[in-house]
mmCIF file of all heavy atoms in Angstrom:
data_model
loop_
_atom_site.group_PDB
_atom_site.id
_atom_site.type_symbol
_atom_site.label_atom_id
_atom_site.label_comp_id
_atom_site.label_asym_id
_atom_site.label_seq_id
_atom_site.Cartn_x
_atom_site.Cartn_y
_atom_site.Cartn_z
ATOM 1 N N PHE C 97 -1.264 -15.732 29.350
ATOM 2 C CA PHE C 97 0.005 -15.197 28.851
ATOM 3 C C PHE C 97 0.473 -14.007 29.684
ATOM 4 O O PHE C 97 -0.289 -13.074 29.942
ATOM 5 C CB PHE C 97 -0.145 -14.723 27.401
ATOM 6 C CG PHE C 97 -0.287 -15.823 26.398
ATOM 7 C CD1 PHE C 97 -1.543 -16.232 25.982
ATOM 8 C CD2 PHE C 97 0.832 -16.448 25.868
ATOM 9 C CE1 PHE C 97 -1.684 -17.235 25.043
ATOM 10 C CE2 PHE C 97 0.698 -17.460 24.932
ATOM 11 C CZ PHE C 97 -0.557 -17.863 24.519
ATOM 12 N N TYR C 110 13.711 -13.824 28.183
ATOM 13 C CA TYR C 110 12.713 -14.696 28.810
ATOM 14 C C TYR C 110 13.223 -16.135 28.895
ATOM 15 O O TYR C 110 13.061 -16.805 29.921
ATOM 16 C CB TYR C 110 11.413 -14.630 28.011
ATOM 17 C CG TYR C 110 10.281 -15.438 28.605
ATOM 18 C CD1 TYR C 110 9.570 -14.956 29.704
ATOM 19 C CD2 TYR C 110 9.915 -16.668 28.066
ATOM 20 C CE1 TYR C 110 8.517 -15.686 30.251
ATOM 21 C CE2 TYR C 110 8.868 -17.406 28.599
ATOM 22 C CZ TYR C 110 8.176 -16.909 29.694
ATOM 23 O OH TYR C 110 7.140 -17.641 30.238
ATOM 24 N N ALA C 145 19.016 -25.065 29.161
ATOM 25 C CA ALA C 145 17.981 -25.646 28.318
ATOM 26 C C ALA C 145 18.507 -25.825 26.891
ATOM 27 O O ALA C 145 19.564 -25.301 26.528
ATOM 28 C CB ALA C 145 16.734 -24.769 28.311
ATOM 29 N N HIS C 178 4.346 -1.392 -17.015
ATOM 30 C CA HIS C 178 4.425 -1.028 -15.601
ATOM 31 C C HIS C 178 5.786 -1.369 -14.987
ATOM 32 O O HIS C 178 6.251 -0.660 -14.095
ATOM 33 C CB HIS C 178 3.334 -1.737 -14.811
ATOM 34 C CG HIS C 178 1.940 -1.359 -15.207
ATOM 35 N ND1 HIS C 178 1.550 -0.053 -15.401
ATOM 36 C CD2 HIS C 178 0.841 -2.112 -15.455
ATOM 37 C CE1 HIS C 178 0.270 -0.010 -15.746
ATOM 38 N NE2 HIS C 178 -0.177 -1.251 -15.796
ATOM 39 N N LYS C 192 24.767 -11.577 -13.223
ATOM 40 C CA LYS C 192 26.114 -10.991 -13.280
ATOM 41 C C LYS C 192 26.574 -10.543 -11.898
ATOM 42 O O LYS C 192 27.759 -10.670 -11.557
ATOM 43 C CB LYS C 192 26.115 -9.810 -14.250
ATOM 44 C CG LYS C 192 25.990 -10.220 -15.710
ATOM 45 C CD LYS C 192 25.978 -8.992 -16.621
ATOM 46 C CE LYS C 192 25.826 -9.394 -18.083
ATOM 47 N NZ LYS C 192 25.772 -8.204 -18.985
ATOM 48 N N VAL C 221 -1.388 -12.614 -0.190
ATOM 49 C CA VAL C 221 -1.219 -11.848 1.036
ATOM 50 C C VAL C 221 -2.071 -10.593 0.955
ATOM 51 O O VAL C 221 -1.980 -9.843 -0.021
ATOM 52 C CB VAL C 221 0.262 -11.467 1.247
ATOM 53 C CG1 VAL C 221 0.436 -10.677 2.535
ATOM 54 C CG2 VAL C 221 1.143 -12.713 1.258
ATOM 55 N N ASP C 236 23.766 -17.634 -14.750
ATOM 56 C CA ASP C 236 23.561 -17.433 -16.185
ATOM 57 C C ASP C 236 22.177 -16.882 -16.501
ATOM 58 O O ASP C 236 21.811 -16.727 -17.672
ATOM 59 C CB ASP C 236 23.807 -18.735 -16.954
ATOM 60 C CG ASP C 236 22.810 -19.844 -16.596
ATOM 61 O OD1 ASP C 236 21.923 -19.611 -15.740
ATOM 62 O OD2 ASP C 236 22.933 -20.945 -17.155
ATOM 63 N N ASP C 352 -17.959 8.753 12.896
ATOM 64 C CA ASP C 352 -17.033 7.960 13.695
ATOM 65 C C ASP C 352 -15.910 7.439 12.800
ATOM 66 O O ASP C 352 -15.903 7.641 11.579
ATOM 67 C CB ASP C 352 -17.751 6.819 14.420
ATOM 68 C CG ASP C 352 -18.433 5.825 13.498
ATOM 69 O OD1 ASP C 352 -17.929 5.583 12.380
ATOM 70 O OD2 ASP C 352 -19.479 5.273 13.883
ATOM 71 N N THR C 424 -3.494 14.992 8.945
ATOM 72 C CA THR C 424 -4.131 15.318 10.212
ATOM 73 C C THR C 424 -5.039 16.520 9.976
ATOM 74 O O THR C 424 -4.598 17.531 9.413
ATOM 75 C CB THR C 424 -3.083 15.642 11.282
ATOM 76 O OG1 THR C 424 -2.156 14.551 11.382
ATOM 77 C CG2 THR C 424 -3.746 15.875 12.626
ATOM 78 N N ILE C 541 24.456 22.514 -7.919
ATOM 79 C CA ILE C 541 23.869 23.656 -7.231
ATOM 80 C C ILE C 541 24.708 24.870 -7.609
ATOM 81 O O ILE C 541 25.939 24.813 -7.533
ATOM 82 C CB ILE C 541 23.860 23.444 -5.700
ATOM 83 C CG1 ILE C 541 22.930 22.273 -5.339
ATOM 84 C CG2 ILE C 541 23.430 24.712 -4.972
ATOM 85 C CD1 ILE C 541 22.931 21.925 -3.861
ATOM 86 N N GLU C 601 -9.262 25.002 -4.377
ATOM 87 C CA GLU C 601 -8.642 26.306 -4.633
ATOM 88 C C GLU C 601 -8.454 27.076 -3.336
ATOM 89 O O GLU C 601 -7.422 27.723 -3.115
ATOM 90 C CB GLU C 601 -9.497 27.102 -5.619
ATOM 91 C CG GLU C 601 -9.463 26.537 -7.032
ATOM 92 C CD GLU C 601 -10.448 27.227 -7.953
ATOM 93 O OE1 GLU C 601 -11.220 28.082 -7.448
ATOM 94 O OE2 GLU C 601 -10.459 26.914 -9.154
ATOM 95 N N ALA C 605 -4.786 27.801 -1.313
ATOM 96 C CA ALA C 605 -4.457 29.224 -1.475
ATOM 97 C C ALA C 605 -3.139 29.530 -0.765
ATOM 98 O O ALA C 605 -2.782 28.892 0.222
ATOM 99 C CB ALA C 605 -5.583 30.083 -0.909
#
Side-chain angles (χ1 to χ4, degrees):
F97 288 95
Y110 183 77
H178 297 314
K192 289 179 181 178
V221 180
D236 64 0
D352 61 33
T424 305
I541 295 176
E601 290 173 355

